[in-house]
Amino acid sequence: MKQSRTAVRVAAVVCSLAFVAAACGSSKTTESAPTTAAAVATTVAPAATESAATEAPAPTEGVTEAPAPTEAVTEAPAATLVPDNGPCDEAKPKLTVSIQTVIESPTLSLKRQVDALSASVKAFNGRGGVGKRCLDLMICDDKGDPNVATDCARSIVASAAVASLNDTTSTADAAVKDIFTAANYPRVAQSPGTPDYGAPNSYNLGGGGLGTTFEMIPPLIEAGKKKIAAIHVDIPAFQGALPLLKAVIEGSGGELVATIPVPAGTTNFDQFILAAEDKGAEGVIMPLGDKESGQVLAAAADLGTELIFSTSLGTFSANAVKELGDLGKQMVFNAEVPPATVTAEQFPAMEQVVKDIGADAGDIASSEIRSWLAVYAFVTVMGAGDVDNITRESVTAAFNAAKDIDMLGLMKPWTPNQASPGAFSRISNPNYYFATWDGSTFVTSDAPTGDLLATLKPTGLAG
C-alpha cells in the first residue's frame, strides 16, 4: 500500500506541474521561471463598480485586471433556471471569495479559468449576488512557484474572504492544503490535487488533472482499442504514475503497450506517433500540456495515422478541434461537464453559462464551465441561509449539510460533503462526460456516463 500511495502522490505532482493542462489548459482556443515574489492578491469589483482591495499582504507585482463587465443578460431558454432578483445592493457589506491558481508562468496558464470566474461573479451580482450582497473576487496568481503559492494561501487566510471558488493549485499542493485546512478555509468546487482528496475543507467538483488522466482510458476500451500507448510528459517523476495507469488499463481488459515521453524542446513530433504505431498501439492517452498535445496531434494528422486519441475537453475546445481537420473524428474526450457547444435543447442551462462567461461557445473549455458552476453553487447554497452573517464557519456548515444541489442538468445533483471510499474520500462528484467529434461539433450523452471511482477500482485506492 505504501508504494501505491507514493505513486498517487507522484502522479499528482506530475499533473500539477506538467499536465494539469490536460484537465484545464490554456491556448489561443482553449482554457486557459520560478520567482520568489510575494503573493499577488487583487479583487474583482462587484457588478460594474470599483471595489476596495481586500486586506492581505501587499502585492509586489502587476495587478491582475478584471475583465470588462459583461453585457446585460437577455432572455434565453435558461433564464428561468437562474433566478434574477435584480442587481446586488452595493450598500450592503460585500462578500469576498477567492481563487488561487497559476495565471501565467513559462509552462502553464489558467487565465481563462480565472477570467470565467470573474465574469461569472459579475453576472451573478447582476442577478442579486447572495441575498442582495455583492460578491468580490480576490485573485492570487501563484505563478507556478511553490514560494508564491504558499504566500498566496497565507494572504487569502489573512483576508476577509470566506471561501475559494474553483481553486486549482499548480504547485506546493500539500503545503497550500495544510495552510487552508489549518485555517478551516472552505474550498468550494475545487479542482483538486492528491492532498486535497482527503482534506475535510475541500468540496471537489471532479477529480482534477489526475482524474481526467484516468478517465482517458474508459472510452478507448469501450471503443475496442485495448492496446494503449501513453504519450506523456518527460520528467522522471512520471514513472510513478505508470503502475496506476497500467493497473487501470489491465483491470479493464487492455494492455499498456508503450510509454512514450515527449522531451522539452522537441521539434519533431512525428516520432511519437510512429513509436506508438511500432508498438502495436490502437489508442493513445495524452497526459501532456496543451501545447505539446496540439503538436502531437498535428503530426498525427499529417501522418494520416489510424490511432484513436483520448484527451480532455479542458485541453481542446470545439474551435481547437476544428483546427485539426478530419483527425477530430479519431478523438475521444472527457470532462466533469458537457462541452460548451451543446444545444439548448440538450442542456438548457448551457446557454446562460456561455452568455455569462462572455465568450464564443467554441472557445470555451471545461474549466471555464466549472468556474461558472462554482459561483452558481455558492450563491445557491449560501443564499438559502442567513445571508447577513456569512463566515468561513457558516460556509463550511452549509456545504457540509447541503444535499443534492440542483446543478441545472450540467452535472448530477451534487452533495458536496458526500464521502467516497478509499484514498479519494473527498471525490463527491465522480461523474464524467465522454464526447466524440462528428466533424463539426462535439457529441455527448444527456447525462454523464463515466465514473472515476469505478475506473480507479483496479488500483485498490477507491475502496
Side-chain angles (χ1 to χ4, degrees):
M1 191 65 172
K2 181 178 180 181
Q3 182 180 5
S4 296
R5 290 185 182 277
T6 300
V8 173
R9 175 57 189 155
V10 170
V13 171
V14 173
C15 173
S16 296
L17 296 181
F19 65 80
V20 69
C24 41
S26 174
S27 72
K28 67 178 180 179
T29 56
T30 66
E31 288 176 88
S32 304
T35 69
T36 56
V40 178
T42 64
T43 56
V44 174
T49 65
E50 293 294 329
S51 160
T54 302
E55 292 183 6
T60 60
E61 298 195 18
V63 173
T64 302
E65 293 287 340
T70 56
E71 295 182 2
V73 174
T74 57
E75 289 189 8
T80 56
L81 299 177
V82 185
D84 187 346
N85 299 310
C88 60
D89 186 349
E90 295 177 24
K92 290 180 174 290
K94 295 177 175 59
L95 190 59
T96 303
V97 291
S98 71
I99 183 171
Q100 171 177 337
T101 192
V102 54
I103 296 176
E104 293 291 351
S105 79
T107 57
L108 183 65
S109 171
L110 301 184
K111 184 177 185 297
R112 291 177 67 103
Q113 177 177 329
V114 177
D115 288 349
L117 190 66
S118 299
S120 300
V121 164
K122 290 179 183 295
F124 277 91
N125 279 342
R127 291 190 287 266
V130 180
K132 290 303 225 180
R133 291 182 65 180
C134 298
L135 290 168
D136 264 339
L137 177 60
M138 178 181 180
I139 300 170
C140 207
D141 179 7
D142 69 24
K143 303 181 183 298
D145 177 89
N147 294 320
V148 179
T150 52
D151 282 349
C152 269
R154 293 187 186 99
S155 71
I156 291 170
V157 165
S159 77
V162 298
S164 69
L165 303 180
N166 197 18
D167 257 4
T168 303
T169 305
S170 69
T171 187
D173 297 26
V176 169
K177 183 269 296 183
D178 288 346
I179 292 168
F180 284 133
T181 302
N184 296 315
Y185 186 73
R187 305 173 80 180
V188 174
Q190 185 183 4
S191 182
T194 297
D196 307 309
Y197 290 141
N201 58 320
S202 292
Y203 304 97
N204 298 321
L205 204 61
L210 181 60
T212 297
T213 299
F214 284 114
E215 286 304 281
M216 292 177 188
I217 297 168
L220 290 179
I221 298 294
E222 291 173 12
K225 308 303 178 183
K226 295 187 177 182
K227 293 185 176 181
I228 297 173
I231 299 179
H232 61 83
V233 62
D234 183 27
I235 61 174
F238 185 77
Q239 297 303 312
L242 296 180
L244 297 180
L245 292 172
K246 189 172 185 289
V248 169
I249 292 170
E250 291 182 351
S252 303
E255 179 185 1
L256 181 61
V257 298
T259 58
I260 306 164
V262 178
T266 295
T267 57
N268 172 21
F269 289 87
D270 291 1
Q271 60 181 304
F272 309 117
I273 304 302
L274 296 174
E277 292 177 333
D278 288 346
K279 292 294 186 178
E282 301 167 324
V284 175
I285 63 171
M286 296 199 304
L288 287 169
D290 53 333
K291 293 182 177 64
E292 292 86 357
S293 291
Q295 290 167 317
V296 168
L297 290 174
D302 290 342
L303 290 169
T305 184
E306 295 182 0
L307 290 169
I308 303 298
F309 298 88
S310 190
T311 185
S312 167
L313 289 171
T315 303
F316 290 96
S317 66
N319 287 343
V321 179
K322 285 179 182 178
E323 292 180 1
L324 296 170
D326 291 340
L327 187 71
K329 295 180 181 179
Q330 295 169 229
M331 297 174 66
V332 288
F333 309 84
N334 79 78
E336 308 93 324
V337 292
T341 51
V342 293
T343 65
E345 290 74 22
Q346 188 177 18
F347 291 95
M350 191 63 81
E351 188 170 357
Q352 189 72 66
V353 175
V354 171
K355 191 179 296 292
D356 285 355
I357 291 174
D360 185 286
D363 287 335
I364 294 176
S366 60
S367 74
E368 295 164 83
I369 300 170
R370 290 200 315 269
S371 286
W372 188 93
L373 284 171
V375 182
Y376 164 78
F378 184 83
V379 169
T380 300
V381 172
M382 299 316 299
D386 181 2
V387 298
D388 293 325
N389 295 289
I390 295 177
T391 63
R392 295 173 186 178
E393 292 74 20
S394 71
V395 173
T396 297
F399 275 86
N400 282 344
K403 296 183 183 299
D404 294 330
I405 302 170
D406 180 6
M407 302 301 278
L408 306 179
L410 299 174
M411 288 173 43
K412 290 184 178 181
W414 183 39
T415 299
N417 198 39
Q418 180 173 292
S420 301
F424 299 93
S425 62
R426 299 301 293 179
I427 302 299
S428 55
N429 170 46
N431 306 296
Y432 281 70
Y433 288 88
F434 299 131
T436 57
W437 184 257
D438 68 2
S440 61
T441 193
F442 291 115
V443 177
T444 193
S445 54
D446 293 341
T449 56
D451 184 331
L452 175 59
L453 296 177
T455 299
L456 288 168
K457 281 280 188 182
T459 68
L461 295 172

